[in-house]
Amino acid sequence: MSPYKTFEEYNLEVTTEVKESYSKIITELGEDVSREGLLKTPERAAKAMLFLTQGYKQDAVEIIESAMFSEAYDDMVIIKDIELYSLCEHHMLPFFGKAHVAYIPDGQIVGLSKIPRVVDVFARRLQVQERLTHDILECINTTLKPKGVAVVIEAAHMCMMMRGVQKQNSVTTTSGFRGQFEKIETRNEFLKLIGSHLS
């Protein structure tokens, strides 16, 4: 299956079982699934869930390998402020925020758009932020084989904001570093650059 399937193509994969499951859930919550406002809700919810979990049917390695190029450039490449939206695997509630990714090439670079695509592949699965950070980091590290990789994710979690402790302004930050980014000076350069506002 192509890693670039569109939302419309995914709509075709909505199954009767998923729609029926949502219908049962709505009924169990005490609602009337046959009333006008809810008639199409099970189908819409099924389509939304398939879209939000499409990462299971995509291959992040294939995405990187589709746009790798030989290049002598060996300084830091940073793609920051990559929007991400995922679902917490514990409550299936959204968490969302930004990913910052950097790598130092070792003879190979990758098309810039492929890094956000890799973020999306892993974000569009049931996740915890810690594993999401690790998945992105290891995929780039093992596929591109750069001199170093760094990933920082900052996200707000609806499971903390809407339920449980109900803390509205908390942000969770996770990070991972490989290769040259394990050196404190390289890591600090990366952290300084993702925190700056370049004009």
Side-chain angles (χ1 to χ4, degrees), residues 167-184:
K167 300 302 180 186
Q168 305 302 309
N169 299 308
S170 63
V171 174
T172 300
T173 302
T174 50
S175 62
F177 306 96
R178 293 290 183 274
Q180 290 190 8
F181 286 97
E182 295 178 271
K183 299 177 181 178
I184 191 65

Side-chain angles (χ1 to χ4, degrees), residues 32-44:
D32 178 7
V33 76
S34 66
R35 72 176 175 85
E36 183 181 10
L38 293 174
L39 279 175
K40 294 187 177 180
T41 297
E43 179 179 352
R44 292 188 187 106

Side-chain angles (χ1 to χ4, degrees), residues 3 60 116 142 166:
T142 58
Q166 299 181 56

Side-chain angles (χ1 to χ4, degrees), residues 62-171:
E62 181 182 334
I63 289 172
I64 293 177
E65 289 180 341
S66 72
M68 288 173 57
F69 308 99
S70 297
E71 183 59 54
Y73 186 86
D74 60 359
D75 289 313
M76 195 181 301
V77 178
I78 302 175
I79 304 93
K80 69 177 189 176
D81 296 332
I82 303 168
E83 295 180 9
L84 69 85
Y85 303 90
S86 192
L87 290 175
C88 164
E89 68 180 34
H90 299 144
H91 304 98
M92 293 179 69
L93 289 172
F95 67 92
F96 54 92
K98 294 180 178 180
H100 313 287
V101 180
Y103 73 96
I104 299 173
D106 189 13
Q108 295 278 332
I109 61 171
V110 65
L112 294 178
S113 69
K114 301 303 181 275
I115 299 297
R117 287 186 184 276
V118 167
V119 171
D120 281 346
V121 166
F122 292 115
R124 297 299 191 187
R125 302 177 182 185
L126 300 181
Q127 279 285 13
V128 293
Q129 185 175 329
E130 296 88 340
R131 186 172 65 246
L132 175 58
T133 305
H134 179 267
D135 286 347
I136 297 166
L137 181 76
E138 290 304 323
C139 178
I140 296 170
N141 193 48
T142 58
T143 308
L144 192 58
K145 295 180 173 58
K147 295 178 181 177
V149 186
V151 177
V152 171
I153 294 178
E154 304 167 289
H157 292 248
M158 297 305 288
C159 59
M160 290 181 64
M161 298 167 71
M162 293 179 65
R163 59 168 303 285
V165 295
Q166 299 181 56
K167 300 302 180 186
Q168 305 302 309
N169 299 308
S170 63
V171 174

